[in-house]
Amino acid sequence: MSFREKTAWVGLVSTLLVFVPYFLYVFGLAAKGDLNPGLVAGAFVALVLFSTVLGIASGILVAVTSKDEPKDERDAAIDARAYRFAYLVLAALCFTAVGAVSVLTLVRPALPSARVLAPMFIGQVFLLCFVTAESIRYLTQALAYRRGA
């Protein structure tokens, strides 16, 4: 595996390792009706610290186990394709989230609970959109290098 392919796989795995438990915790709190800024802020601080440590450690590991390779046209094309695809996913998810919030706002009186319209919950939904797009970018890069495109 090349340095950039390793970096893409490590980025994908570390993103999933950090954010999947976080979102399970946060959306679990939301399902129970216990979503409050204090708990979310604490979980987010832990996420940032763990993500930073994991990113530094995995970056050092990849750098030590790989040889330095100059970036060429193929790398630039793979990056451009991955960013383009991730942006399309991000745009689609954000438009879907905005549409869902708009519809839920219109039917709010009919909802048994309006917790899904709380700013804390909506913020977590948009964070999930960004994390999904970033994961798609890493996956697109890794598969492009694997495929040899």
Side-chain angles (χ1 to χ4, degrees):
M1 265 194 270
S2 71
F3 172 76
R4 286 182 180 75
E5 182 183 356
K6 285 180 188 177
T7 302
W9 283 115
V10 166
L12 176 64
V13 169
S14 62
T15 298
L16 294 176
L17 276 174
V18 170
F19 280 98
V20 167
Y22 171 79
F23 284 122
L24 289 174
Y25 173 71
V26 168
F27 290 127
L29 287 174
K32 291 187 284 187
D34 294 335
L35 190 65
N36 68 55
L39 291 174
V40 174
F44 190 76
V45 168
L47 168 125
V48 169
L49 292 174
F50 182 65
S51 179
T52 302
V53 170
L54 186 62
I56 291 170
S58 62
I60 291 171
L61 183 65
V62 168
V64 168
T65 61
S66 301
K67 61 182 179 177
D68 191 26
E69 303 166 351
K71 190 171 184 175
D72 59 10
E73 297 86 20
R74 176 178 168 254
D75 297 322
I78 288 172
D79 283 349
R81 187 179 324 133
Y83 277 108
R84 186 173 49 249
F85 190 53
Y87 176 77
L88 290 172
V89 168
L90 177 62
L93 290 173
C94 286
F95 277 117
T96 302
V98 167
V101 167
S102 299
V103 168
L104 289 173
T105 302
L106 291 174
V107 299
R108 186 179 191 151
L111 292 175
S113 171
R115 284 182 272 158
V116 294
L117 294 175
M120 184 60 61
F121 183 79
I122 293 172
Q124 296 306 305
V125 169
F126 280 106
L127 179 61
L128 179 61
C129 294
F130 282 99
V131 170
T132 302
E134 188 67 8
S135 298
I136 293 294
R137 181 180 71 86
Y138 285 133
L139 183 61
T140 303
Q141 284 177 328
L143 293 177
Y145 282 112
R146 175 67 32 200
R147 198 178 67 194

